[in-house]
Amino acid sequence: MGKINLLSQETIDKIAAGEVVERPASVAKELIENSIDAGATAISVEIKGGGIEYLRITDNGSGIDKDQIQIAFLRHSTSKIESAEDLANVRSLGFRGEALSSISAVSKVELITKTKDSLLGACYIIEGAKEISLTDIGSPDGTTFIIRQLFYNTPARKKFLKSESTEGSYVFDVVEHLALSHPEISFKFLINGKEKLMTSGNGILSDTIYQLFGRQIATNVLDVDYADEDMTISGFIGQSVIARGNRAFEHFFVNNRYIKSNNLSKACEEGYYGFLMGHQYPFFVLNINFLNSSVDVNVHPTKQEVRFENETYILETLTKIINNRLRKREDVLEAHVEEPKEPVKPIIYESFFEPKEKDEVVPPPIKMPEPFEPTRLQEIKEKVTAQIRMDTPYEKKYTENNRGGEKYEQISFLKEEAVKEHKIIGQVFDTYWIIEYDKKMYIIDQHAAHEKVLFEKTMKKLKDNDMTSQLISPPVIISLSSQDILVFENYREAFEKIGFQIESFGGNELAINGVPGNMLNLDPKDLFMEILMDCNNYKASDSFDLIVERVASISCKAAVKGNNRLSLPEIKTLVNDLLQLENPYHCPHGRPTMISFSEYELAKKFKRIV
Ligand code: ADP
Ligand code: MG
């Protein structure tokens, strides 16, 4: 053990800073919350260099008296509480009095502030916890903080930061969340001088949703308004059409603070059961307000976690009100389904299935018991899953029937002279084509085969620089989250390379003016979203060529999905296309495009041969 040292105030501040200031987004959060606590009705946020180089917050709030400024920068200085007794009633977002001291310990801070009552404003400069100057200055009412060179004196912390664009996107998220939880405040956000977001501050949440996420989302949400003696839940939930591939569009606010909670997320997603597919996540903005103190939001000043006293009750209520709201909206679906004389197989989640023709035997929907019970839901889910399992054991059958090694012995099957001898039997399950040739039965997976052909054609065109783009008119407008926009900007070139023509349409909206020439039969929005969701999996180290290849493969996959019924000439063309390829036997994702059964195998299966 070495000598025991008393740490200097500077070192203590730097250590403490680590607890509050993790990255530009946490600085932005602390400073914006201070502006909100100061009663601001307009807040403007600007960053350059991802907020690491430059971060400015300007508000029109109360301002700070010149003689209070230095005190505000001391550790544990706050105007919001005086003693521990006040803690129980605290309504402000901050009260620990740590933010300003922490931020100023690890950056260069310039503060310009003026209260209504003083004639002049004050300018305070403090760098790495060292005061540089405090002077009078002419300024409007309110406060501006400029934070430069975050972590310039703590290189070890700086190393943990991500790229400027990623750090910038985290700041974007913070502004977005605060704008959503405060529709009564007008927010403006600029990145490198460009306006990225602007809300009106008129106090109407649906207007804020429109201003942040665009028309498509704002016109597809349902309002939620619930109250009991312990809590209120209000806000908006998205209908299935605006579902996304990740949780970025799930927004929870508890007592006006943005929080993340796996349990709350799961409870909401449970409420969507039957309305969304397995890989889809809903859009929602939900405010949960507790009327008593059954929640502890301040588990940690920088963490977005909460603890609830009565968690089970809260989760069940959430699931129930979301499910009820969606059902109320989509009741119309049930009207398609006839009530049969006696109950057949119980399937409830009719939105999973296409509406059937009248004279078909249709499983009736089970009436949901009211109120909705999660245990019941689990039971039903299991039944539905079991049924799906029972109905589709294809893969298993193939392996059982397959005698080792024979599965892919179809090499001669795709020779030109062989194709002439093909006897096309027909199609089953809208997916598989059965062809007889040379004492074998071949089964072609139409989707996999089609995908493979399309992919090879696309890759060849890319190589020959021959990709065409087809203009669409009018353009298709899509609304994205700020996070999605940044992902898109990262991979924009790959989208363009395969034939997309896309331009920014203001805010978080994009206009698709053109789509890849060979994908005309697709919904441009679905195709775009499918590719964008896949982009989330790409690594920074992936080469441009690799990314283009993935984008091409995803688009080919999407292209064959909706295309179920091929005519006989079409399947012949497909087989002919296949035989031109070097490796026709596997789709771009490695799945087989075809399998075969010999006559011998079938005979064995029917016990003709023992
Ligand atoms: P806390 O918010 O926990 O009180 P901070 O370190 O964030 O602690 O801020 C210290 C004090 O500085 C606040 O209590 C408040 O009085 C004052 N302050 C900070 N930012 C602003 C602002 N934008 N407008 C007015 N006062 C502010
Ligand atoms: Mg604060």
Side-chain angles (χ1 to χ4, degrees):
M1 279 277 174
K3 193 166 120 251
I4 296 175
N5 292 313
L6 203 57
L7 297 176
S8 70
Q9 189 55 43
E10 198 184 329
T11 312
I12 294 171
D13 282 346
K14 276 190 192 173
I15 295 170
E19 286 171 21
V20 181
V21 184
E22 217 180 327
R23 52 184 3 113
S26 39
V27 176
K29 177 174 175 285
E30 290 295 336
L31 294 182
I32 299 170
E33 288 188 346
N34 279 347
S35 297
I36 296 171
D37 286 346
T41 57
I43 300 172
S44 145
V45 182
E46 180 176 9
I47 58 168
K48 289 172 188 165
I52 307 161
E53 287 314 307
Y54 179 96
L55 189 153
R56 176 184 62 80
I57 314 277
T58 299
D59 70 48
N60 63 351
S62 66
I64 309 172
D65 277 326
K66 189 178 173 191
D67 62 0
Q68 299 284 305
I69 292 176
Q70 285 147 313
I71 305 167
F73 279 85
L74 295 177
R75 210 153 124 69
H76 302 307
S77 69
T78 177
S79 56
K80 298 166 193 172
I81 53 171
E82 281 182 11
S83 64
E85 284 80 70
D86 292 346
L87 272 174
N89 303 315
V90 65
R91 278 277 158 256
S92 55
L93 292 166
F95 60 82
R96 290 161 187 269
E98 285 174 323
L100 296 190
S101 68
S102 301
I103 294 166
S104 62
V106 292
S107 68
K108 301 181 177 179
V109 177
E110 182 180 342
L111 160 67
I112 297 161
T113 183
K114 179 183 167 303
T115 59
K116 267 196 204 68
D117 300 337
S118 65
L119 286 173
L120 273 179
C123 175
Y124 184 62
I125 296 179
I126 176 168
E127 299 181 349
K130 285 198 192 74
E131 187 175 278
I132 307 286
S133 62
L134 174 59
T135 48
D136 288 335
I137 195 174
S139 91
D141 292 349
T143 302
T144 290
F145 273 96
I146 299 174
I147 314 300
R148 293 189 175 88
Q149 296 177 41
L150 185 62
F151 299 141
Y152 78 103
N153 56 354
T154 44
R157 294 216 132 252
K158 198 167 176 189
K159 267 213 315 247
F160 280 101
L161 294 180
K162 299 193 176 150
S163 70
E164 286 185 357
S165 68
T166 305
E167 292 297 339
S169 79
Y170 292 156
V171 178
F172 206 144
D173 283 346
V174 162
V175 180
E176 205 169 82
H177 296 151
L178 286 162
L180 276 177
S181 53
H182 293 277
E184 75 288 1
I185 298 175
S186 165
F187 281 87
K188 189 168 158 178
F189 181 49
L190 297 112
I191 299 183
N192 301 330
K194 274 197 202 149
E195 187 182 301
K196 293 287 176 183
L197 168 163
M198 172 95 180
T199 65
S200 64
N202 68 358
I204 299 170
L205 178 59
S206 56
D207 285 358
T208 312
I209 290 175
Y210 175 81
Q211 285 143 7
L212 294 181
F213 304 110
R215 186 179 311 109
Q216 192 210 346
I217 287 195
T219 50
N220 284 297
V221 291
L222 306 169
D223 60 315
V224 168
D225 202 358
Y226 168 88
D228 62 27
E229 57 274 22
D230 298 318
M231 63 175 174
T232 63
I233 301 177
S234 63
F236 291 88
I237 60 171
Q239 301 190 62
S240 340
V241 280
I242 53 167
R244 286 298 193 268
N246 58 45
R247 281 183 170 162
F249 277 70
E250 301 186 355
H251 306 93
F252 285 111
F253 300 92
V254 169
N255 293 357
N256 256 2
R257 275 169 191 271
Y258 174 77
I259 58 121
K260 274 191 178 142
S261 157
N262 259 339
N263 290 350
L264 288 186
S265 278
K266 281 192 194 134
C268 285
E269 287 156 15
E270 189 97 342
Y272 272 86
Y273 190 74
F275 290 92
L276 293 182
M277 304 296 254
H279 58 286
Q280 291 184 317
Y281 296 92
F283 170 95
F284 53 76
V285 178
L286 288 174
N287 297 299
I288 309 177
N289 276 296
F290 293 95
L291 309 174
N292 49 42
S293 51
S294 59
V295 58
D296 175 11
V297 270
N298 273 292
V299 171
H300 188 279
T302 62
K303 298 269 155 56
Q304 297 156 338
E305 288 163 7
V306 281
R307 287 197 202 123
F308 302 105
E309 247 170 41
N310 196 353
E311 182 150 303
T312 318
Y313 161 72
I314 296 164
L315 299 181
E316 283 178 4
T317 308
L318 254 182
T319 306
K320 184 182 79 185
I321 61 173
I322 289 185
N323 196 272
N324 284 348
R325 184 69 183 92
L326 289 166
R327 279 171 178 276
K328 212 165 114 197
R329 175 68 187 84
E330 303 196 15
D331 259 350
V332 58
L333 263 182
E334 288 189 1
H336 290 291
V337 185
E338 296 242 301
E339 201 70 61
K341 283 168 206 83
E342 52 184 79
V344 201
K345 295 179 207 157
I347 296 176
I348 317 175
Y349 296 103
E350 54 285 352
S351 52
F352 271 157
F353 304 92
E354 302 270 18
K356 298 275 168 48
E357 296 292 332
K358 266 199 168 169
D359 51 359
E360 276 181 68
V361 184
V362 173
I366 282 184
K367 289 269 173 288
M368 285 315 270
E370 296 284 345
F372 188 78
E373 297 165 21
T375 42
R376 176 99 185 98
L377 182 63
Q378 190 53 38
E379 210 179 293
I380 293 152
K381 263 195 213 172
E382 276 162 17
K383 266 191 201 162
V384 174
T385 321
Q387 179 160 357
I388 290 168
R389 259 194 237 117
M390 254 168 51
D391 288 346
T392 61
Y394 307 130
E395 275 176 39
K396 196 154 165 272
K397 256 190 250 167
Y398 294 146
T399 19
E400 275 171 11
N401 284 344
N402 182 39
R403 264 165 28 108
E406 280 198 5
K407 201 172 181 178
Y408 301 119
E409 266 180 29
Q410 328 85 328
I411 306 302
S412 65
F413 174 70
L414 283 177
K415 289 267 159 55
E416 223 171 310
E417 51 282 12
V419 170
K420 284 186 208 129
E421 309 288 320
H422 285 183
K423 188 169 154 197
I424 298 181
I425 310 292
Q427 193 187 30
V428 286
F429 309 130
D430 280 353
T431 306
Y432 306 102
W433 281 87
I434 299 178
I435 298 177
E436 184 188 335
Y437 170 70
D438 193 23
K439 291 199 180 302
K440 276 192 180 167
M441 177 173 83
Y442 291 85
I443 304 179
I444 299 183
D445 179 334
Q446 170 194 310
H447 292 131
H450 195 171
E451 193 180 325
K452 175 70 176 180
V453 167
L454 208 56
F455 178 72
E456 291 295 323
K457 282 185 181 168
T458 308
M459 287 315 286
K460 184 165 185 317
K461 280 189 174 165
L462 279 170
K463 224 169 98 195
D464 302 345
N465 246 333
D466 194 23
M467 258 330 259
T468 50
S469 176
Q470 180 69 42
L471 291 184
I472 42 176
S473 176
V476 173
I477 312 298
I478 41 179
S479 313
L480 297 173
S481 71
S482 43
Q483 187 75 38
D484 283 346
I485 287 276
L486 290 166
V487 173
F488 167 70
E489 290 298 347
N490 245 338
Y491 297 104
R492 178 192 272 269
E493 268 184 74
F495 278 86
E496 284 167 357
K497 179 95 185 170
I498 68 153
F500 270 105
Q501 295 188 33
I502 296 173
E503 60 183 355
S504 302
F505 198 64
N508 281 355
E509 298 200 324
L510 297 174
I512 304 184
N513 295 316
V515 291
N518 53 348
M519 315 254 153
L520 254 185
N521 59 340
L522 280 183
D523 179 322
K525 191 189 125 216
D526 288 350
L527 178 60
F528 176 88
M529 287 313 294
E530 195 124 349
I531 299 174
L532 190 68
M533 287 312 147
D534 193 59
C535 287
N536 285 311
N537 305 324
Y538 302 171
K539 294 192 206 80
S541 57
D542 288 347
S543 70
F544 182 64
D545 285 351
L546 184 72
I547 288 164
V548 170
E549 193 178 318
R550 287 214 40 183
V551 168
S553 92
I554 292 293
S555 59
C556 295
K557 187 170 162 222
V560 299
K561 239 200 251 162
N563 203 357
N564 282 335
R565 287 181 198 272
L566 290 191
S567 63
L568 201 63
E570 281 171 322
I571 186 66
K572 282 186 174 159
T573 313
L574 183 59
V575 171
N576 271 311
D577 281 343
L578 270 179
L579 71 94
Q580 317 287 338
L581 305 181
E582 242 168 58
N583 172 12
Y585 302 107
H586 290 91
C587 81
H589 306 277
R591 284 184 290 112
T593 54
M594 60 186 75
I595 57 172
S596 72
F597 295 99
S598 65
E599 202 184 341
Y600 171 84
E601 282 169 310
L602 288 179
K604 238 188 131 190
K605 199 77 197 158
F606 285 105
K607 309 272 184 241
R608 285 163 171 260
I609 305 168
V610 199

PDB file of all heavy atoms in Angstrom, residues 242-263:
ATOM      1  N   ILE A 242     -48.166   0.602 -38.752  1.00  0.00           N
ATOM      2  CA  ILE A 242     -46.933   1.362 -38.531  1.00  0.00           C
ATOM      3  C   ILE A 242     -45.978   0.625 -37.590  1.00  0.00           C
ATOM      4  O   ILE A 242     -45.105   1.234 -36.978  1.00  0.00           O
ATOM      5  CB  ILE A 242     -47.208   2.801 -38.008  1.00  0.00           C
ATOM      6  CG1 ILE A 242     -48.114   2.775 -36.768  1.00  0.00           C
ATOM      7  CG2 ILE A 242     -47.824   3.653 -39.098  1.00  0.00           C
ATOM      8  CD1 ILE A 242     -48.162   4.098 -36.043  1.00  0.00           C
ATOM      9  N   ALA A 243     -46.143  -0.698 -37.497  1.00  0.00           N
ATOM     10  CA  ALA A 243     -45.235  -1.481 -36.659  1.00  0.00           C
ATOM     11  C   ALA A 243     -43.827  -1.415 -37.232  1.00  0.00           C
ATOM     12  O   ALA A 243     -43.642  -1.191 -38.421  1.00  0.00           O
ATOM     13  CB  ALA A 243     -45.703  -2.919 -36.599  1.00  0.00           C
ATOM     14  N   ARG A 244     -42.849  -1.639 -36.366  1.00  0.00           N
ATOM     15  CA  ARG A 244     -41.461  -1.555 -36.785  1.00  0.00           C
ATOM     16  C   ARG A 244     -40.709  -2.837 -36.464  1.00  0.00           C
ATOM     17  O   ARG A 244     -41.230  -3.728 -35.804  1.00  0.00           O
ATOM     18  CB  ARG A 244     -40.774  -0.405 -36.048  1.00  0.00           C
ATOM     19  CG  ARG A 244     -41.178   0.957 -36.574  1.00  0.00           C
ATOM     20  CD  ARG A 244     -40.774   1.073 -38.029  1.00  0.00           C
ATOM     21  NE  ARG A 244     -40.839   2.432 -38.531  1.00  0.00           N
ATOM     22  CZ  ARG A 244     -41.896   2.967 -39.130  1.00  0.00           C
ATOM     23  NH1 ARG A 244     -42.998   2.273 -39.250  1.00  0.00           N
ATOM     24  NH2 ARG A 244     -41.859   4.199 -39.590  1.00  0.00           N
ATOM     25  N   GLY A 245     -39.460  -2.898 -36.926  1.00  0.00           N
ATOM     26  CA  GLY A 245     -38.662  -4.091 -36.704  1.00  0.00           C
ATOM     27  C   GLY A 245     -37.856  -4.052 -35.414  1.00  0.00           C
ATOM     28  O   GLY A 245     -37.163  -5.012 -35.095  1.00  0.00           O
ATOM     29  N   ASN A 246     -37.926  -2.953 -34.665  1.00  0.00           N
ATOM     30  CA  ASN A 246     -37.232  -2.913 -33.374  1.00  0.00           C
ATOM     31  C   ASN A 246     -38.019  -2.046 -32.399  1.00  0.00           C
ATOM     32  O   ASN A 246     -39.050  -1.486 -32.748  1.00  0.00           O
ATOM     33  CB  ASN A 246     -35.798  -2.415 -33.532  1.00  0.00           C
ATOM     34  CG  ASN A 246     -35.758  -1.039 -34.168  1.00  0.00           C
ATOM     35  OD1 ASN A 246     -36.528  -0.151 -33.800  1.00  0.00           O
ATOM     36  ND2 ASN A 246     -34.874  -0.872 -35.138  1.00  0.00           N
ATOM     37  N   ARG A 247     -37.471  -1.922 -31.184  1.00  0.00           N
ATOM     38  CA  ARG A 247     -38.241  -1.240 -30.137  1.00  0.00           C
ATOM     39  C   ARG A 247     -38.048   0.280 -30.120  1.00  0.00           C
ATOM     40  O   ARG A 247     -38.476   0.942 -29.186  1.00  0.00           O
ATOM     41  CB  ARG A 247     -37.853  -1.798 -28.772  1.00  0.00           C
ATOM     42  CG  ARG A 247     -38.518  -3.120 -28.474  1.00  0.00           C
ATOM     43  CD  ARG A 247     -38.169  -3.591 -27.077  1.00  0.00           C
ATOM     44  NE  ARG A 247     -39.010  -4.729 -26.723  1.00  0.00           N
ATOM     45  CZ  ARG A 247     -38.727  -5.562 -25.739  1.00  0.00           C
ATOM     46  NH1 ARG A 247     -37.620  -5.381 -25.035  1.00  0.00           N
ATOM     47  NH2 ARG A 247     -39.525  -6.571 -25.471  1.00  0.00           N
ATOM     48  N   ALA A 248     -37.410   0.826 -31.154  1.00  0.00           N
ATOM     49  CA  ALA A 248     -37.068   2.256 -31.110  1.00  0.00           C
ATOM     50  C   ALA A 248     -38.299   3.165 -31.046  1.00  0.00           C
ATOM     51  O   ALA A 248     -38.198   4.327 -30.684  1.00  0.00           O
ATOM     52  CB  ALA A 248     -36.222   2.625 -32.325  1.00  0.00           C
ATOM     53  N   PHE A 249     -39.461   2.624 -31.384  1.00  0.00           N
ATOM     54  CA  PHE A 249     -40.648   3.469 -31.394  1.00  0.00           C
ATOM     55  C   PHE A 249     -41.528   3.272 -30.155  1.00  0.00           C
ATOM     56  O   PHE A 249     -42.656   3.686 -30.134  1.00  0.00           O
ATOM     57  CB  PHE A 249     -41.471   3.204 -32.658  1.00  0.00           C
ATOM     58  CG  PHE A 249     -40.967   3.954 -33.850  1.00  0.00           C
ATOM     59  CD1 PHE A 249     -39.770   3.614 -34.453  1.00  0.00           C
ATOM     60  CD2 PHE A 249     -41.676   5.021 -34.354  1.00  0.00           C
ATOM     61  CE1 PHE A 249     -39.312   4.304 -35.544  1.00  0.00           C
ATOM     62  CE2 PHE A 249     -41.230   5.730 -35.451  1.00  0.00           C
ATOM     63  CZ  PHE A 249     -40.037   5.367 -36.052  1.00  0.00           C
ATOM     64  N   GLU A 250     -40.985   2.582 -29.167  1.00  0.00           N
ATOM     65  CA  GLU A 250     -41.746   2.412 -27.919  1.00  0.00           C
ATOM     66  C   GLU A 250     -41.291   3.484 -26.930  1.00  0.00           C
ATOM     67  O   GLU A 250     -40.131   3.500 -26.549  1.00  0.00           O
ATOM     68  CB  GLU A 250     -41.479   1.019 -27.338  1.00  0.00           C
ATOM     69  CG  GLU A 250     -41.863  -0.099 -28.289  1.00  0.00           C
ATOM     70  CD  GLU A 250     -41.735  -1.487 -27.669  1.00  0.00           C
ATOM     71  OE1 GLU A 250     -41.254  -1.580 -26.517  1.00  0.00           O
ATOM     72  OE2 GLU A 250     -42.097  -2.456 -28.318  1.00  0.00           O
ATOM     73  N   HIS A 251     -42.199   4.359 -26.564  1.00  0.00           N
ATOM     74  CA  HIS A 251     -41.819   5.463 -25.668  1.00  0.00           C
ATOM     75  C   HIS A 251     -42.669   5.426 -24.407  1.00  0.00           C
ATOM     76  O   HIS A 251     -43.888   5.543 -24.486  1.00  0.00           O
ATOM     77  CB  HIS A 251     -42.042   6.808 -26.335  1.00  0.00           C
ATOM     78  CG  HIS A 251     -41.364   6.942 -27.663  1.00  0.00           C
ATOM     79  ND1 HIS A 251     -41.978   6.651 -28.854  1.00  0.00           N
ATOM     80  CD2 HIS A 251     -40.113   7.316 -27.983  1.00  0.00           C
ATOM     81  CE1 HIS A 251     -41.134   6.854 -29.849  1.00  0.00           C
ATOM     82  NE2 HIS A 251     -39.991   7.249 -29.353  1.00  0.00           N
ATOM     83  N   PHE A 252     -41.986   5.279 -23.284  1.00  0.00           N
ATOM     84  CA  PHE A 252     -42.681   5.332 -21.990  1.00  0.00           C
ATOM     85  C   PHE A 252     -42.238   6.544 -21.198  1.00  0.00           C
ATOM     86  O   PHE A 252     -41.044   6.850 -21.149  1.00  0.00           O
ATOM     87  CB  PHE A 252     -42.283   4.146 -21.110  1.00  0.00           C
ATOM     88  CG  PHE A 252     -42.906   2.871 -21.514  1.00  0.00           C
ATOM     89  CD1 PHE A 252     -42.130   1.875 -22.059  1.00  0.00           C
ATOM     90  CD2 PHE A 252     -44.259   2.665 -21.347  1.00  0.00           C
ATOM     91  CE1 PHE A 252     -42.690   0.681 -22.431  1.00  0.00           C
ATOM     92  CE2 PHE A 252     -44.829   1.465 -21.717  1.00  0.00           C
ATOM     93  CZ  PHE A 252     -44.046   0.478 -22.258  1.00  0.00           C
ATOM     94  N   PHE A 253     -43.196   7.164 -20.556  1.00  0.00           N
ATOM     95  CA  PHE A 253     -42.852   8.239 -19.634  1.00  0.00           C
ATOM     96  C   PHE A 253     -43.542   7.941 -18.319  1.00  0.00           C
ATOM     97  O   PHE A 253     -44.737   7.651 -18.292  1.00  0.00           O
ATOM     98  CB  PHE A 253     -43.310   9.579 -20.188  1.00  0.00           C
ATOM     99  CG  PHE A 253     -42.665   9.873 -21.509  1.00  0.00           C
ATOM    100  CD1 PHE A 253     -43.283   9.498 -22.699  1.00  0.00           C
ATOM    101  CD2 PHE A 253     -41.418  10.462 -21.568  1.00  0.00           C
ATOM    102  CE1 PHE A 253     -42.670   9.719 -23.920  1.00  0.00           C
ATOM    103  CE2 PHE A 253     -40.790  10.695 -22.785  1.00  0.00           C
ATOM    104  CZ  PHE A 253     -41.417  10.322 -23.958  1.00  0.00           C
ATOM    105  N   VAL A 254     -42.772   7.939 -17.249  1.00  0.00           N
ATOM    106  CA  VAL A 254     -43.372   7.722 -15.946  1.00  0.00           C
ATOM    107  C   VAL A 254     -43.215   9.015 -15.162  1.00  0.00           C
ATOM    108  O   VAL A 254     -42.102   9.531 -15.034  1.00  0.00           O
ATOM    109  CB  VAL A 254     -42.703   6.548 -15.206  1.00  0.00           C
ATOM    110  CG1 VAL A 254     -43.159   6.504 -13.761  1.00  0.00           C
ATOM    111  CG2 VAL A 254     -43.040   5.239 -15.912  1.00  0.00           C
ATOM    112  N   ASN A 255     -44.325   9.549 -14.704  1.00  0.00           N
ATOM    113  CA  ASN A 255     -44.335  10.860 -14.055  1.00  0.00           C
ATOM    114  C   ASN A 255     -43.515  11.865 -14.862  1.00  0.00           C
ATOM    115  O   ASN A 255     -42.670  12.587 -14.328  1.00  0.00           O
ATOM    116  CB  ASN A 255     -43.811  10.770 -12.626  1.00  0.00           C
ATOM    117  CG  ASN A 255     -44.756   9.979 -11.744  1.00  0.00           C
ATOM    118  OD1 ASN A 255     -45.819   9.550 -12.194  1.00  0.00           O
ATOM    119  ND2 ASN A 255     -44.373   9.769 -10.495  1.00  0.00           N
ATOM    120  N   ASN A 256     -43.734  11.847 -16.168  1.00  0.00           N
ATOM    121  CA  ASN A 256     -43.117  12.809 -17.089  1.00  0.00           C
ATOM    122  C   ASN A 256     -41.656  12.578 -17.437  1.00  0.00           C
ATOM    123  O   ASN A 256     -41.034  13.406 -18.069  1.00  0.00           O
ATOM    124  CB  ASN A 256     -43.249  14.241 -16.563  1.00  0.00           C
ATOM    125  CG  ASN A 256     -44.323  14.970 -17.324  1.00  0.00           C
ATOM    126  OD1 ASN A 256     -44.962  14.383 -18.195  1.00  0.00           O
ATOM    127  ND2 ASN A 256     -44.508  16.228 -17.005  1.00  0.00           N
ATOM    128  N   ARG A 257     -41.068  11.496 -16.974  1.00  0.00           N
ATOM    129  CA  ARG A 257     -39.693  11.202 -17.336  1.00  0.00           C
ATOM    130  C   ARG A 257     -39.668  10.053 -18.321  1.00  0.00           C
ATOM    131  O   ARG A 257     -40.340   9.046 -18.108  1.00  0.00           O
ATOM    132  CB  ARG A 257     -38.916  10.701 -16.119  1.00  0.00           C
ATOM    133  CG  ARG A 257     -38.347  11.735 -15.274  1.00  0.00           C
ATOM    134  CD  ARG A 257     -37.874  11.050 -14.010  1.00  0.00           C
ATOM    135  NE  ARG A 257     -37.549  12.062 -13.037  1.00  0.00           N
ATOM    136  CZ  ARG A 257     -36.349  12.612 -12.949  1.00  0.00           C
ATOM    137  NH1 ARG A 257     -35.380  12.214 -13.731  1.00  0.00           N
ATOM    138  NH2 ARG A 257     -36.115  13.551 -12.067  1.00  0.00           N
ATOM    139  N   TYR A 258     -38.803  10.175 -19.336  1.00  0.00           N
ATOM    140  CA  TYR A 258     -38.613   9.072 -20.267  1.00  0.00           C
ATOM    141  C   TYR A 258     -37.930   7.935 -19.521  1.00  0.00           C
ATOM    142  O   TYR A 258     -36.943   8.150 -18.817  1.00  0.00           O
ATOM    143  CB  TYR A 258     -37.735   9.509 -21.432  1.00  0.00           C
ATOM    144  CG  TYR A 258     -37.392   8.362 -22.345  1.00  0.00           C
ATOM    145  CD1 TYR A 258     -38.316   7.874 -23.255  1.00  0.00           C
ATOM    146  CD2 TYR A 258     -36.143   7.760 -22.282  1.00  0.00           C
ATOM    147  CE1 TYR A 258     -38.019   6.814 -24.082  1.00  0.00           C
ATOM    148  CE2 TYR A 258     -35.827   6.692 -23.114  1.00  0.00           C
ATOM    149  CZ  TYR A 258     -36.770   6.226 -23.999  1.00  0.00           C
ATOM    150  OH  TYR A 258     -36.475   5.170 -24.821  1.00  0.00           O
ATOM    151  N   ILE A 259     -38.443   6.740 -19.634  1.00  0.00           N
ATOM    152  CA  ILE A 259     -37.790   5.609 -18.992  1.00  0.00           C
ATOM    153  C   ILE A 259     -37.761   4.411 -19.936  1.00  0.00           C
ATOM    154  O   ILE A 259     -38.530   4.341 -20.892  1.00  0.00           O
ATOM    155  CB  ILE A 259     -38.484   5.179 -17.678  1.00  0.00           C
ATOM    156  CG1 ILE A 259     -39.940   4.812 -17.956  1.00  0.00           C
ATOM    157  CG2 ILE A 259     -38.407   6.246 -16.614  1.00  0.00           C
ATOM    158  CD1 ILE A 259     -40.222   3.417 -17.553  1.00  0.00           C
ATOM    159  N   LYS A 260     -36.839   3.502 -19.640  1.00  0.00           N
ATOM    160  CA  LYS A 260     -36.806   2.251 -20.390  1.00  0.00           C
ATOM    161  C   LYS A 260     -37.167   1.147 -19.417  1.00  0.00           C
ATOM    162  O   LYS A 260     -36.663   1.146 -18.291  1.00  0.00           O
ATOM    163  CB  LYS A 260     -35.395   2.007 -20.894  1.00  0.00           C
ATOM    164  CG  LYS A 260     -35.136   2.681 -22.191  1.00  0.00           C
ATOM    165  CD  LYS A 260     -33.828   2.200 -22.786  1.00  0.00           C
ATOM    166  CE  LYS A 260     -33.619   2.851 -24.122  1.00  0.00           C
ATOM    167  NZ  LYS A 260     -32.233   3.201 -24.351  1.00  0.00           N
ATOM    168  N   SER A 261     -38.001   0.240 -19.818  1.00  0.00           N
ATOM    169  CA  SER A 261     -38.317  -0.871 -18.944  1.00  0.00           C
ATOM    170  C   SER A 261     -38.726  -2.060 -19.787  1.00  0.00           C
ATOM    171  O   SER A 261     -39.714  -2.002 -20.523  1.00  0.00           O
ATOM    172  CB  SER A 261     -39.453  -0.486 -17.991  1.00  0.00           C
ATOM    173  OG  SER A 261     -40.094  -1.649 -17.529  1.00  0.00           O
ATOM    174  N   ASN A 262     -37.934  -3.107 -19.690  1.00  0.00           N
ATOM    175  CA  ASN A 262     -38.248  -4.323 -20.421  1.00  0.00           C
ATOM    176  C   ASN A 262     -39.616  -4.847 -20.055  1.00  0.00           C
ATOM    177  O   ASN A 262     -40.367  -5.323 -20.895  1.00  0.00           O
ATOM    178  CB  ASN A 262     -37.217  -5.405 -20.083  1.00  0.00           C
ATOM    179  CG  ASN A 262     -36.205  -5.512 -21.191  1.00  0.00           C
ATOM    180  OD1 ASN A 262     -36.482  -5.093 -22.318  1.00  0.00           O
ATOM    181  ND2 ASN A 262     -35.035  -6.038 -20.880  1.00  0.00           N
ATOM    182  N   ASN A 263     -39.919  -4.781 -18.749  1.00  0.00           N
ATOM    183  CA  ASN A 263     -41.192  -5.331 -18.301  1.00  0.00           C
ATOM    184  C   ASN A 263     -42.380  -4.561 -18.860  1.00  0.00           C
ATOM    185  O   ASN A 263     -43.356  -5.149 -19.301  1.00  0.00           O
ATOM    186  CB  ASN A 263     -41.252  -5.349 -16.771  1.00  0.00           C
ATOM    187  CG  ASN A 263     -40.311  -6.387 -16.200  1.00  0.00           C
ATOM    188  OD1 ASN A 263     -39.774  -7.204 -16.952  1.00  0.00           O
ATOM    189  ND2 ASN A 263     -40.097  -6.349 -14.906  1.00  0.00           N
TER     190      ASN A 263
END
